[in-house]
Amino acid sequence: MNLRDFRRAGHFPTLFSALLYFDISFMVWVLLGALANSIATDFKLDPAAKGFLTAIAVLGGAILRMPIGLLADRIGPRRTALIGLTITFVPLLLGWLWADSYATILPVGLLLGIAGASFAAALPMASRWYPPQYQGLAMGIAGAGNSGTVLAAFFAPRLAATLGWHAVFGLALLPIAMTLMIVAWLAKDSPTQPAPQPWTAYAAVFRRRDTWWFSFFYAITFGGFVGLASFLNTYFHDQYGLTPQQAGAYAALCVLSGSLLRPVGGFLSDQFGGLRVLTLLYCGAGLALLGLATSPTLNAATALMFIGMGMLGLGNGSVFQLVPQRFGKQIGIVTGVVGAAGGFGGFALPSLLGIAKQATGSFAVGLLGFGFVAFVGALALVVVAPRWEREFLSKGGRAITEIPDEPSALPLELEAPVA
C-alpha cells in the first residue's frame, strides 16, 4: 500500500476530525469505569454493584448507537457528530453538579452513552471519503479514537484523588467543547454521501444474516475491548490490591495496546484478508484470557492483558475492514447496529466479572468464559468464510465487489444456507 496515495485518496481534515471526535468521546464514555474505585468507596458498593456501575455507560452507548447510525445516514455524519457532542454536555454537567448517590450516578452513566454512540457517526464520516482498497486503514485510523480510554484510565483517578471525582466530570466539559469547535470547522461530509434511503431499506438491514454475523464478531472484539477497558481499574485494584492511581496506570498500559493497534488490524486485513487475520486474533485473545483465568502474578497478568487487549484492538480493525465491503449505502445504520452489539458485549462483560467476583471471590470464571467465547468466534469465522469469499470477498479475504444493498426478495429463512 502506498501511503502517499492513501493521503491523496480522501480528506485528511475529516479523517482527523473523526479521530478526535471518537477519541474525546470515548474518554468521556468510560469515565465511570476510570472513577469506579473512588465512587465505590464513597457509596460503599459491593463487587456486583461496582461491575454494574462500570457497565452502565457501555449499555447507554449500545442503546444509542442505532439511532445515531440512522441519523448519520439521514442527515450526514458531520451534523450527527455535532448533535452528539452538544448532548454530551448534559451528563457531564449532571455528574459534576448533581450526582450524589448510587441512584443518581446511574442515569448519568446511561446518558454518557451518547458519547459512546459517537462510533456510529465517526466511522461513516471517515469511511465515505476513501475507496475500498483503503477502507481498512481509514477505518482503523478513525477507530483508533478508542485510545480515549487510555486518557480516562490514566488521568481520571489522579484528578479524582486531588480534586474529587465530581470535578473530573466538570473538567471533561473542556475537551468536549474544543472538539465541537474543531469538528464544526474542519469536518465535511463526503460528496459521495448517499441520499437518504426509504425506511424499508434500513429495516431490511435487520433481515440480513451478515448483519447478525458482524454483530456477533464485533460483540467479541469491541465488546471485549471496551468491557475490559472500563473494568481494568477495578480489576487491578480488587485483584492485586493496588491504589486507584496505580490501578489506573496499569489499566492505561493495557488499554494503550488495543487502542494503538486498531489501525494496524485494518492495515493487516487490507494486506492479508480480514477473515484470516480475525481468526488468528480470536485464537490469540482466547489463549491470553485462559492464562489470565489462572490468576497469575501482577507482572504476568499485565503482560497477558496487554497481549489480549492488543488482539482485541487488532480485531476491531479487522471487523471494520470487512463491514464496508458488505454494506455500502447503509453503512451508517449497519455501523450503528454492529456497534450496538459491541456495546452490549461491553456491558455484559464487566457486569459478569463483577458477579463472578462476588460469587466466587475471583474473576477467573468470568475470564474463562470470555476466553471460550473468543474460540467460538474463530470457529464461526470458519463457518461463514466460504460464503463470504464467494459473495463479496476474494480468496483470502480481499475485497472484489460489494453485493447489492437492495433487500432480498426472499424472507431470511428462505435464503441459501451458509456454506
Side-chain angles (χ1 to χ4, degrees):
M1 177 183 293
N2 189 318
L3 294 181
R4 181 177 299 175
D5 290 342
F6 169 77
R7 289 195 298 270
R8 293 173 178 170
H11 189 252
F12 180 77
T14 298
L15 181 61
F16 172 76
S17 298
L19 170 61
L20 182 66
Y21 168 44
F22 201 12
D23 190 72
I24 298 302
S25 294
F26 255 53
M27 179 193 73
V28 168
W29 190 28
V30 299
L31 270 183
L32 276 186
L35 296 171
N37 291 317
S38 299
I39 296 172
T41 299
D42 279 4
F43 298 157
K44 298 178 174 56
L45 305 182
D46 59 37
K50 195 173 177 181
F52 187 75
L53 172 69
T54 300
I56 189 67
V58 184
L59 176 63
I63 294 170
L64 292 169
R65 282 189 178 199
M66 282 185 281
I68 291 295
L70 181 59
L71 196 62
D73 274 342
R74 302 295 295 182
I75 68 171
R78 178 183 176 275
R79 289 182 183 176
T80 304
L82 295 176
I83 291 171
L85 285 164
T86 301
I87 297 175
T88 302
F89 282 101
V90 175
L92 291 176
L93 286 168
L94 292 175
W96 178 27
L97 303 172
W98 176 66
D100 59 359
S101 67
Y102 186 61
T104 54
I105 196 66
L106 289 180
V108 170
L110 197 63
L111 289 173
L112 284 173
I114 190 66
S118 61
F119 176 97
L123 293 195
M125 188 191 302
S127 172
R128 286 173 176 155
W129 278 101
Y130 290 88
Q133 66 267 31
Y134 297 127
Q135 282 296 314
L137 184 56
M139 297 285 267
I141 291 173
N146 56 29
S147 60
T149 55
V150 179
L151 301 176
F154 186 81
F155 289 108
R158 285 163 171 74
L159 292 171
T162 304
L163 304 172
W165 60 265
H166 286 94
V168 178
F169 287 97
L171 290 172
L173 291 165
L174 299 176
I176 287 293
M178 176 197 69
T179 303
L180 178 64
M181 290 186 289
I182 291 175
V183 172
W185 177 37
L186 293 179
K188 294 182 179 180
D189 284 332
S190 168
T192 62
Q193 167 88 12
Q197 304 252 322
W199 291 104
T200 53
Y202 296 118
V205 165
F206 293 93
R207 294 177 51 233
R208 297 185 184 277
R209 287 170 295 173
D210 291 341
T211 301
W212 302 109
W213 277 120
F214 280 123
S215 296
F216 171 66
F217 295 136
Y218 204 59
I220 299 173
T221 59
F222 181 79
F225 172 82
V226 75
L228 288 173
S230 62
F231 195 75
L232 282 181
N233 288 57
T234 297
Y235 171 76
F236 283 116
H237 177 272
D238 291 359
Q239 183 73 18
Y240 297 102
L242 304 182
T243 67
Q245 295 92 327
Q246 291 171 330
Y250 277 89
L253 175 64
C254 296
V255 173
L256 184 66
S257 170
S259 301
L260 294 183
L261 289 175
R262 178 166 182 154
V264 179
F267 178 81
L268 291 175
S269 297
D270 282 339
Q271 299 302 303
F272 304 108
L275 289 173
R276 182 183 302 163
V277 171
L278 190 56
T279 303
L280 294 174
L281 293 174
Y282 278 148
C283 292
L287 290 173
L289 289 160
L290 293 184
L292 285 164
T294 65
S295 301
T297 64
L298 174 60
N299 288 338
T302 304
L304 287 169
M305 191 67 78
F306 185 89
I307 293 170
M309 291 291 278
M311 296 288 178
L312 294 171
L314 287 164
N316 289 334
S318 294
V319 172
F320 270 92
Q321 186 264 355
L322 293 166
V323 169
Q325 299 175 42
R326 174 60 178 88
F327 297 96
K329 296 177 182 178
Q330 294 127 354
I331 184 65
I333 184 61
V334 172
T335 298
V337 173
V338 174
F344 281 117
F347 165 72
L349 182 57
S351 299
L352 292 174
L353 287 171
I355 292 171
K357 175 68 173 176
Q358 183 159 332
T360 67
S362 169
F363 297 113
V365 173
L367 293 167
L368 187 65
F370 183 44
F372 173 76
V373 171
F375 287 116
V376 172
L379 180 61
L381 280 168
V382 174
V383 172
V384 301
R387 180 173 63 83
W388 283 7
E389 289 175 346
R390 185 173 65 248
E391 291 184 351
F392 67 100
L393 299 172
S394 67
K395 199 68 176 176
R398 294 182 178 85
I400 52 174
T401 187
E402 178 189 309
I403 52 183
D405 282 321
E406 287 75 18
S408 168
L410 295 174
L412 183 60
E413 62 269 22
L414 297 181
E415 292 180 2
V418 177

